[in-house]
Amino acid sequence: MHSLEQAGDLKAFERRLTEYVSCLQPATGRWRMILIVVSVCTATGAWNWLIDPDTQKVSFLSSLWNHPFFTISCVTLIGLFFAGIHKRVVAPSIIAARCRTVLAEYNMSCDDTGKLILKPRPHIQ
C-alpha cells in the first residue's frame, strides 16, 4: 500500500511539474520573438550607423541623433535586459534545472518538459 501511495504522489508531482512548465512555454516563445526582433533591429541599425561616413565626422551624441532607429532599438534592447528578458527567455530550463538539483537527492531527475526520470537504486555491497 505504501508503494502505491508513493507512485500516486510521484505521478501527481510529475503532472503538476509538466503543467507548470507547459504554462511557461507560450510566454517564453513570445519573449524569445521579442528579443529576436529587437536584436535584429539593433544589429541592422548598428550596421547603418557604422557604415555612415558622417559618423566619424560628428560627435557621438550627434551621430546617435542622426540615427534614431539604432538609438531607439538599442535603448529598447538595454531596457529589456534590465527588465529581465534574459530570465524570461530561459524560465522553463531554470525551473527544470532547479528541480533536477532537488530530485538528485532522491535518485531522480526530470527532462526539460517536467517528466520525471527514475534512476536505478545504487547497490550497496
Side-chain angles (χ1 to χ4, degrees), residues 20-55:
Y20 186 73
V21 170
S22 67
C23 285
L24 290 174
Q25 292 297 342
T28 301
R30 284 191 295 273
W31 285 115
R32 284 181 181 155
M33 287 305 298
I34 290 170
L35 183 60
I36 288 168
V37 168
V38 173
S39 296
V40 168
C41 288
T42 303
T44 305
W47 176 255
N48 290 331
W49 181 57
L50 290 172
I51 63 170
D52 184 8
D54 293 337
T55 299

Side-chain angles (χ1 to χ4, degrees), residues 8-83:
D9 289 345
L10 284 175
K11 286 184 182 192
F13 176 77
E14 180 182 54
R15 189 171 38 251
R16 182 68 181 121
L17 184 59
T18 55
E19 177 184 312
Y20 186 73
V21 170
S22 67
C23 285
L24 290 174
Q25 292 297 342
T28 301
R30 284 191 295 273
W31 285 115
R32 284 181 181 155
M33 287 305 298
I34 290 170
L35 183 60
I36 288 168
V37 168
V38 173
S39 296
V40 168
C41 288
T42 303
T44 305
W47 176 255
N48 290 331
W49 181 57
L50 290 172
I51 63 170
D52 184 8
D54 293 337
T55 299
Q56 297 176 0
K57 299 174 186 170
V58 296
S59 70
F60 177 71
L61 292 177
S62 296
S63 70
L64 288 178
W65 186 257
N66 292 338
H67 296 276
F69 180 73
F70 168 68
T71 305
I72 292 169
S73 60
C74 190
V75 168
T76 303
L77 185 63
I78 291 168
L80 286 172
F81 274 99
F82 276 123

